[in-house]
Amino acid sequence: MQGEILLKNVRLVDASGDRGPADVLIGEGKILALDGGNAQRTLDASGLILCPGFFDPHAHLREPGQEVKEDLETGLTAAARGGYTDVVSMPNTTPPVDHPEVVAALIKKARQIGQARLHPAAALTQGQEGKLLTEAKLLKEAGAVMLTDDGKTNEDAGVLALGLTYAASWGLPVSVHAEDAGLRRGGVMNEGPLSFRLGLPGNPSAAEAARIARDLEIVRYVLERQTQDARHDPRLHIQHLSTARGLQLIRQAKAEGLPVTTEVGPHHLTLTHERLESLDPVYKVAPPLRTQADLEALIQGLLDGSIDCIGTDHAPHTQAEKEQDLIRAPFGIPSLEVAFPLLYTELYLKRGFPLATLIERFTDGPRRVLGFRPIHLEEGHEASLTLLDPKSERAVDPAGFASKAKFSPWAGWRLSGWPVMTWVEGREVFVHPSFAVGA
Amino acid sequence: MITELTQQTTLPKHLLDFQSWSRKHIEDLFETAKLMQEVLSRPVKKVPALTGFTVATVFFENSTRTRLSFELAARRMSADVLSFSAATSSLAKGESYKDTLLTLDAMGIDAYVIRTDAAGVPYQAVRWLGKPIINAGDGWRAHPTQALLDAFSLLERLGSLEGRKIAIVGDILHSRVARSNAELLPMLGAEVWLCGPATLLPSGLPKVTMTTHLHEALRDADAVMALRLQRERMDKGLLPSLPEYVAGYQITQERLGWAKPGAPLLHPGPMNRDVELEGTLADAAQSLIERQVANGQAVRMAVLYHLLVGRKSA
């Protein structure tokens, strides 16, 4: 299915806006032209949207060690189906990704699989134990794009300060799961009147805000101590923001000029803690689903750029694990395959969220956070692209996921804006089966 | 006698909590419980009402009194009882709740009585099984039959709960008994006060009053219920010490005097004598503790009857 392809009359949408129809010629891994040309295959793409490939800064692909939940092949295939050309994998695997050899091996295997591109995040500390730093230089050379202890929440502020300082030398951002373990106290849902009534241990929004406040203070401290010849600023990326108060702190820090970025997950933009009334572990996620006021604030933060990007926090688990009770069931929702249509439908169609801004948060936003060059829909740019069908409406069917995780809190939701084709450097890595590409 | 009971209003299919139950449903259930009390007063305490039905008691969490009470209740009505205990089961070998329940279901169960240490499993079971589910206690969430037997015992003593002040004292935050009573008693017209140390008091239960001051809770109360104090709460830093709790919240003879004269004293058990209650109070005339246990059986017979037979004929 390779060779040149001409997308006739396709609508271009990227960070610069909705640019209307064009005849896009793709070949040699690049966008060859926007005004047509000769191709082996032509596709009438009227009514379809072409945008830069999505980039997920936060997915759990579970390899090595937890392949029963997901592996690189299923995870990256799920990503390509979801319109993603690039995925950052989290290092909280078994064992954790904390050696350059492991990073290199993962990238090599992902290339062989040939779906979405893999960019591993590596652990910030050896074994994610929060004590000794990992080899940031060697990890970077092996292909790691970020350092994080992820769900292990960097209890020792001194170690985080050292990690931010050292990672900066090699231009690596450090990302943090911002939750204070003491305040969280084993909570499984948002703490408040509802958690008290349901009899479930609560996780207060203060657990997130208190940790963000601490981590921002660490960034200030690291910046103050930075030597004159430092080539890079320390960069702190706060994962999966869930609270209005956390957003407020980040907004203030950005206004102050601190090098901090953040992401939000599709679940925190579309679901609230009332879903837990069903006592169904499918809604159990960390940080937990919050209130409607938090959700509204997060949408506003995504709109005004205080939140840089969408990160799926794709977190696959086995059915049996997720069907345990709410205390024992693991945290997490698989979302690579539904993130875009979900937000296209719930934010753009239902709330009028600007489409170009939404697409930016899936494409350039995360690339900027990770230090990647943006992809523009211009001649000569790499053809890592996503084609979307804004018209056809389809229900979410977890049984049909490429991901090994076959559950979803959005099962049955009728969504539009599904990806129908994904190219990585001009290679077609996904074509929707109902979508015949003419010769 | 039992045939008189078939004129029920349509009941909810399950007893998970009281959200889908109305006051009328509860009152009907209590009428049945009174008839069951009569059965239990006979020399031969057995009726054929549930002949041919199989009730599974599925206890993923240990329990003595609730389990025995349910099993005896089912047997008194001639049901077959399948008794399952997690401590010695496949669950300990890693089998999931769902697979365990589906395995039991393949044996032809008509109703399930489920207890777990985590909120939600009986609700999940509703999604997995098409049979009546009775929640026999799930984590901190709900213990509806305990609340029913508490209310039934209070009604027996007080006549009506309309406008009555009921004080519940102890670790409210972690108590499924308190939550279920906080749902049920206001439905029956009672004014519920929940009292305990601030670290063990939630803030989100509707239709009840919360206080950390024992005197406020007990003053002019029509009934007082003490809850079991779980000592592991101290390890988690929620309570400074046992003497500290006793000093602030133990129900003593003197403190019980703040309530109305003769106000009944309840405790859902198991009881730590001289912690929640001054030891001798448990055996005093105003104690309903043994009556609660006896009524538990009649109430659970009524619940099983309503969900299996009453509903069917409705």
Side-chain angles (χ1 to χ4, degrees):
Chain A
M1 296 206 304
Q2 303 308 327
E4 290 179 356
I5 185 167
L6 178 66
L7 306 179
K8 295 274 291 177
N9 207 27
V10 72
R11 182 175 152 206
L12 305 182
V13 184
D14 65 11
S16 62
D18 190 336
R19 293 161 46 193
D23 294 340
V24 178
L25 183 66
I26 296 171
E28 302 165 24
K30 291 185 294 192
I31 298 173
L32 292 175
L34 296 180
D35 55 358
N38 293 323
Q40 294 161 302
R41 293 178 301 153
T42 300
L43 172 68
D44 177 8
S46 308
L48 303 181
I49 293 173
L50 186 70
C51 63
F54 302 156
F55 190 115
D56 187 3
H58 189 150
H60 298 269
L61 300 186
R62 307 299 188 201
E63 190 168 336
Q66 295 176 302
E67 288 84 352
V68 65
K69 295 173 191 258
E70 193 83 288
D71 57 35
L72 288 186
E73 179 144 14
T74 55
L76 293 171
T77 303
R81 284 198 192 186
Y84 287 91
T85 55
D86 299 87
V87 177
V88 176
S89 58
M90 289 293 113
N92 64 334
T93 48
T94 316
V97 178
D98 61 355
H99 278 85
E101 297 78 16
V102 183
V103 171
L106 288 172
I107 291 172
K108 186 178 171 193
K109 185 166 178 189
R111 283 200 183 120
Q112 287 164 351
I113 291 166
Q115 293 282 324
R117 287 178 293 205
L118 178 73
H119 309 284
L124 178 69
T125 63
Q126 295 175 31
Q128 289 196 310
E129 288 176 351
K131 293 174 186 155
L132 301 171
L133 298 183
T134 50
E135 302 159 321
K137 178 180 189 294
L138 297 174
L139 287 164
K140 163 102 180 197
E141 286 169 2
V145 296
M146 177 189 267
L147 299 180
T148 179
D149 280 346
D150 194 37
K152 309 276 179 77
T153 56
N154 302 110
E155 291 308 309
D156 188 325
V159 171
L160 181 61
L162 289 174
L164 270 167
T165 304
Y166 187 66
S169 303
W170 314 108
L172 284 171
V174 171
S175 86
V176 291
H177 178 123
E179 268 190 327
D180 182 275
L183 286 170
R184 179 181 178 175
R185 290 189 87 95
V188 300
M189 70 172 288
N190 184 50
E191 182 175 288
L194 184 60
S195 71
F196 290 132
R197 182 161 65 72
L198 294 178
L200 287 166
N203 175 342
S205 56
E208 179 173 277
R211 178 50 65 89
I212 289 174
R214 185 202 79 164
D215 290 355
L216 292 172
E217 207 53 51
I218 293 171
V219 174
R220 286 188 189 92
Y221 164 68
V222 171
L223 277 169
E224 279 168 16
R225 289 180 76 239
Q226 202 176 22
T227 54
Q228 295 262 324
D229 67 340
R231 289 190 194 162
H232 303 283
D233 273 345
R235 283 189 288 152
L236 180 75
H237 178 69
I238 292 162
Q239 303 174 355
H240 44 50
L241 192 65
S242 73
T243 63
R245 178 65 188 137
L247 173 64
Q248 194 182 13
L249 291 165
I250 291 168
R251 203 174 258 149
Q252 284 166 359
K254 286 188 162 194
E256 200 184 312
L258 287 187
V260 57
T261 54
T262 191
E263 73 195 25
V264 63
H267 42 283
H268 288 122
L269 294 168
T270 56
L271 303 168
T272 61
H273 66 156
E274 282 86 1
R275 298 272 169 181
L276 268 302
E277 288 258 23
S278 65
L279 292 158
D280 188 339
V282 77
Y283 300 106
K284 184 178 171 185
V285 66
L289 301 177
R290 303 289 188 182
T291 65
Q292 188 67 35
D294 290 308
L295 179 147
E296 299 293 341
L298 294 171
I299 291 174
Q300 193 56 40
L302 190 69
L303 180 67
D304 69 22
S306 304
I307 297 174
D308 301 84
C309 59
I310 311 282
T312 63
D313 195 10
H314 175 79
H317 298 287
T318 67
Q319 197 72 20
E321 284 175 310
K322 203 60 179 172
E323 281 176 350
Q324 296 176 89
D325 61 88
L326 267 157
I327 304 295
R328 292 176 187 82
F331 295 95
I333 294 169
S335 46
L336 276 169
E337 287 161 86
V338 296
F340 187 81
L342 182 69
L343 298 186
Y344 178 87
T345 306
E346 297 297 313
L347 297 194
Y348 168 66
L349 290 181
K350 294 191 181 168
R351 287 169 167 263
F353 192 98
L355 181 59
T357 306
L358 182 65
I359 285 179
E360 197 277 342
R361 306 293 186 255
F362 272 88
T363 57
D364 286 4
R367 287 187 170 89
R368 194 174 56 245
V369 167
L370 272 295
F372 282 68
R373 282 190 309 183
I375 293 173
H376 293 304
L377 299 179
E378 301 293 353
E379 272 183 35
H381 270 251
E382 75 172 61
S384 293
L385 304 167
T386 302
L387 188 65
L388 304 165
D389 182 354
K391 291 274 160 47
S392 74
E393 189 185 88
R394 194 167 90 224
V396 175
D397 175 20
F401 283 172
S403 169
K404 289 185 182 178
K406 309 290 186 196
F407 59 89
S408 172
W410 303 289
W413 288 33
R414 297 200 67 81
L415 306 177
S416 304
W418 292 90
V420 288
M421 284 184 82
T422 308
W423 292 264
V424 172
E425 293 168 43
R427 277 183 306 111
E428 292 169 20
V429 293
F430 166 62
V431 182
H432 192 268
S434 69
F435 193 73
V437 182
Chain B
M1 174 218 66
I2 292 293
T3 50
E4 297 165 18
L5 298 174
T6 53
Q7 311 301 318
Q8 311 298 341
T9 54
T10 304
L11 280 166
K13 187 176 177 184
H14 312 283
L15 177 60
L16 303 173
D17 49 39
F18 298 111
Q19 296 211 9
S20 52
W21 286 62
S22 68
R23 181 169 181 159
K24 176 76 167 64
H25 292 141
I26 306 292
E27 286 167 353
D28 287 350
L29 192 81
F30 285 163
E31 287 307 308
T32 309
K34 283 180 199 164
L35 298 171
M36 295 305 178
Q37 277 183 318
E38 187 272 322
V39 170
L40 294 172
S41 70
R42 297 177 193 172
V44 177
K45 301 173 178 55
K46 193 148 181 158
V47 288
L50 298 187
T51 303
F53 288 98
T54 305
V55 175
T57 56
V58 186
F59 278 56
F60 295 115
E61 181 192 56
N62 288 335
S63 150
T64 308
R65 72 186 63 208
T66 303
R67 180 199 189 98
L68 293 178
S69 178
F70 266 111
E71 291 183 358
L72 207 50
R75 290 198 174 102
R76 301 266 196 231
M77 292 188 292
S78 305
D80 293 321
V81 175
L82 184 67
S83 176
F84 174 92
S85 156
T88 56
S89 76
S90 309
L91 205 73
K93 299 175 192 167
E95 189 173 53
S96 69
Y97 289 120
K98 186 179 181 183
D99 286 338
T100 302
L101 287 167
L102 290 178
T103 301
L104 292 175
D105 207 48
M107 297 181 196
I109 305 300
D110 297 296
Y112 291 85
V113 178
I114 299 177
R115 168 175 286 204
T116 62
D117 64 355
V121 175
Y123 301 75
Q124 290 174 282
V126 166
R127 292 192 278 270
W128 299 328
L129 308 164
K131 310 288 172 56
I133 307 287
I134 299 165
N135 183 355
D138 66 325
W140 310 344
R141 171 71 191 97
H143 193 357
T145 57
Q146 178 69 44
L148 285 169
L149 72 90
D150 292 340
F152 188 79
S153 304
L154 284 167
L155 281 167
E156 240 181 11
R157 180 66 69 94
L158 300 173
S160 158
L161 296 187
E162 209 60 59
R164 302 286 195 173
K165 177 179 178 182
I166 318 282
I168 303 178
V169 180
D171 176 0
I172 308 294
L173 180 62
H174 303 99
S175 174
R176 54 194 174 204
V177 175
R179 276 181 184 72
S180 283
N181 272 304
E183 273 190 286
L184 178 63
L185 297 176
M187 273 171 69
L188 301 173
E191 181 192 326
V192 173
W193 284 62
L194 302 177
C195 176
T199 48
L200 297 176
L201 212 54
S203 64
L205 303 182
K207 297 179 187 167
V208 295
T209 308
M210 304 267 186
T211 177
T212 56
H213 298 287
L214 189 60
H215 186 260
E216 271 184 30
L218 297 196
R219 189 174 49 210
D220 297 325
D222 292 281
V224 177
M225 180 187 300
L227 299 174
R228 185 169 74 89
L229 186 74
Q230 291 158 314
R231 291 170 193 239
E232 65 269 24
R233 303 298 166 214
M234 275 176 280
D235 298 336
K236 293 187 175 171
L238 295 169
L239 271 181
S241 74
L242 211 52
E244 172 88 356
Y245 178 83
V246 167
Y249 297 97
Q250 186 184 67
I251 309 298
T252 63
Q253 187 70 56
E254 185 196 340
R255 288 167 173 178
L256 198 54
W258 299 336
K260 285 187 181 158
L265 177 65
L266 298 90
H267 192 301
M271 178 171 47
N272 299 306
R273 275 182 196 254
D274 293 316
V275 179
E276 301 100 50
L277 294 177
E278 209 166 56
T280 50
L281 274 182
D283 313 310
Q286 62 201 111
S287 165
L288 280 185
I289 296 171
E290 283 186 23
R291 191 68 192 157
Q292 285 173 276
V293 177
N295 284 338
Q297 212 179 116
V299 165
R300 289 179 175 119
M301 287 169 77
V303 169
L304 285 167
Y305 182 82
H306 274 241
L307 293 186
L308 280 166
V309 183
R311 209 180 62 81
K312 198 173 167 187
S313 60

